[in-house]
Amino acid sequence: MSVTVSDIRPGAYFDSVVLMQLQRDLVRLDGVIDAGIVMATPANRDLLASSDLLPPEATAATAEDLLIVVRADDDRAARAALVGLDDLIRNRQTASGTGYRPRSLAGALRQAPEAGWILISVAGRYAAAVAREALDAGRHVFLYSDNVDLADEEALKRRAAAAGLLVMGPDCGTAIVNGIGLGFANRVPRGNIGLVGASGTGLQALSTQVGALGAGISHAIGTGGRDLKSEIDGRTTRQALDLLARDPDTHVLVLVSKPPAPRVAARLLAAAGHIGQTAGKPIVVYFQGLATALEHVGPWVHLTTSLNATARLAVALSHAGMAAPESAARPSFAPPQRYLRGLFSGGTLAYEAVLGLGTVLDPLFSNVPVRPEQALSDPFQSQHHTILDLGADHFTQGRLHPMMDNETRLRRLRQEAADPGVAVILMDLVLGAGAHPDPAAELAPAIAAARNLATSEDRRLEVLVAIVGAGDDPQDVAAQREALAAAGARVYDGLEEPLQRVIAWLAPDVDEQPPVSLERLQGPLVAINIGLESFRDSLEAQGARCVHVDWRPPAGGNEAMMALLDQLSGRDA
């Protein structure tokens, strides 16, 4: 009959990976049926209990204790396994070297004061405090730990941004700094393509595909999977894009992420356009699951729809270089003017505009929404940015379709032009058989009147018109274009260019943050590792210097005492 024995070791601490490896080796010993080796937190004790590996005497263990439980064929085998575990621990310590290991970050910094990067992979309940200590010491943080509270992440990244430092993570598994891989990075060629990713496996996939296509990576900065949540607001992502844009070894930037919060996506794309234009470097963006009708957001930002397409485009741009594209100067709108109103006669074109502009303008509302939150509550009253299909049923009851009768659009044009918050009105003009015989004859005077009204109120109103027409259409497309232009409208063939203008003029303003210094990005990587020893081993195998901290939870892991120590040291701010 099997027996289960336990051993409680107060004050002993090992990281989770080491414990799992020791547990695996322990189960292989003769006579051992099952085993568990954990720090005895409530959650870990529950896991042992669910596997029937928590004898009554083991329930006395606390979160500060190492708990070892062995189920074996008999008592002799169980006791022998506990002795065998000590041999496994000694063998591991001998294999990892006997050199001095500092017990704290402060001690490690005395040993390697030039260290600029702190790798943290301790249990999540301790990770935020360790990261705060690293930031207070003026170092960048690679935070692999997961289960970090979202509020702690927001506070850490706000503190880091104010100090010009990076917090990569929590739950950041991959980065490459000056050719040295952190975490699970692949060994890829050096090159001139810089990566930023809120997806660790995405960074790995892109970096390896770029290498397979004959190009290479300058740096890859992971942000952690939650950086593009609304609470975090893409803070590390914006820092990373700005940093790589200023790096002389990076010629093309790539941003990849799982689906971001819509408002964060809008702010990031606006920031990317500003950063790309300032640095004169193209930025390729792949937001998984983001529905858009655009291939470009402004002249410097390219949108893609797959990892493979992202890698191919980045490599092509890295080989070809890029001449400075023409930028659309922003008109001098009055301070309240922030909004777009789209007045479309065609539902497909209205939907296309929502698809294109909804990635950058947020909030955006429509009676043909792409996302549920874009649905306009009252189609007869615009709010924020609004795009309307005026051919929808609620506008055409008892009236002709706006392709045949301009009255609905003329009335709505007057309504939107009178709104002091409106800066741009975007319209389509669809010609062809059966359509209004001369729509510009009615629309052009209304456009001129709308612009004159704005001018009289010290505002500037831009009207953009996308024409859909052919040379032999009965309305004479050239005459239509000429009449609209004479009224002050900007006239385009199709939607792509006017959508680009709207983005250039109305994209959200970019928050200024203290820049992250290039110094530690470009110099030899010197790091301090707190947590997984495998990260230390990987850095040293790549030729980087790394000091490993023999870390133990402060105050023996007593969370109440840890909070008190934080308060006394002022680190809870």
Side-chain angles (χ1 to χ4, degrees), residues 119-183:
L119 283 67
I120 301 171
S121 51
V122 302
R125 63 187 179 279
Y126 308 122
V130 179
R132 282 196 296 270
E133 187 180 359
L135 293 175
D136 290 345
R139 267 62 177 189
H140 299 303
V141 172
F142 176 87
L143 186 53
Y144 172 74
S145 306
D146 56 8
N147 293 310
V148 175
D149 189 80
L150 189 64
D152 282 333
E153 178 175 351
E154 193 279 331
L156 286 170
K157 291 187 171 181
R158 181 166 28 86
R159 180 181 295 210
L165 296 170
L166 291 173
V167 171
M168 296 187 282
D171 200 19
C172 179
T174 303
I176 301 172
V177 178
N178 208 10
I180 302 295
L182 280 62

Side-chain angles (χ1 to χ4, degrees), residues 340-344 350 385-390 424-427:
L340 163 77
R341 300 292 155 78
L343 309 179
F344 286 85
H385 302 291
T386 297
I387 293 175
L388 296 171
D389 169 18
L390 295 174
V424 180
I425 292 176
L426 173 62
M427 308 168 67

Side-chain angles (χ1 to χ4, degrees), residues 507-526:
D509 291 331
V510 180
D511 293 340
E512 293 293 333
Q513 300 182 113
V516 177
S517 171
L518 285 167
E519 180 182 0
R520 287 173 179 157
L521 188 73
Q522 297 173 323
L525 188 136
V526 181

Side-chain angles (χ1 to χ4, degrees), residues 2-5 22-37 47-48 50-54 68-73 77-78 81-82:
S2 66
V3 299
T4 302
V5 300
L22 289 171
Q23 179 175 306
R24 177 198 61 196
D25 294 340
L26 188 59
V27 171
R28 293 173 178 171
L29 297 178
D30 289 341
V32 175
I33 300 171
D34 200 356
I37 309 177
L47 285 173
L48 291 178
S50 68
S51 301
D52 195 24
L53 279 176
L54 191 69
I68 305 154
V69 182
V70 177
R71 178 183 297 138
D73 291 335
L82 292 178

